[in-house]
């Protein structure tokens, strides 16, 4: 029951806020890609600088949102 309610709320949000939903999805994907790339730059997993990974990922997400202000093709239907 709870999953159905959650899915219903997400579907309603997607329908009412198409642009915002597309921006959020793009930003999350960009942040995940940046985190993977930053972690991959370390020679060993123990050498990963967590602060740098988080900082670079958040910055990438913010830049993605700002870039989306110029236009986001996923929402232009």
């Amino acid at each position: 029951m709870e999953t159905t309610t959650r899915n219903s709320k997400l579907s309603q949000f997607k329908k009412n806020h198409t642009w915002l939903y597309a921006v959020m999805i793009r930003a999350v994907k960009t942040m995940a890609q940046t985190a993977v790339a930053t972690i991959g730059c370390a020679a060993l997993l123990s050498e990963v600088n967590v602060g740098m990974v988080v900082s670079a990922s958040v910055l990438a997400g913010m830049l993605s949102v700002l870039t989306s202000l110029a236009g986001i093709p996923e929402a232009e239907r």
Side-chain angles (χ1 to χ4, degrees):
M1 176 79 177
E2 186 176 316
T3 305
T4 305
T5 305
R6 193 176 306 148
N7 289 339
S8 175
K9 287 181 180 181
L10 181 60
S11 295
Q12 192 67 25
F13 182 81
K14 283 172 49 175
K15 183 191 281 186
N16 293 337
H17 306 287
T18 306
W19 183 86
L20 184 59
Y21 182 77
V23 168
M24 289 184 340
I25 294 296
R26 180 181 275 192
V28 168
K29 286 181 179 180
T30 301
M31 292 171 69
Q33 291 168 348
T34 302
V36 168
T38 307
I39 291 169
C41 289
L44 298 172
L45 196 55
S46 62
E47 294 178 359
V48 173
N49 184 342
V50 177
M52 184 180 74
V53 171
V54 171
S55 175
S57 298
V58 169
L59 179 60
M62 290 172 29
L63 291 174
S64 175
V65 170
L66 291 174
T67 302
S68 295
L69 291 176
I72 187 162
E74 292 91 342
E76 293 175 2
R77 292 186 196 160

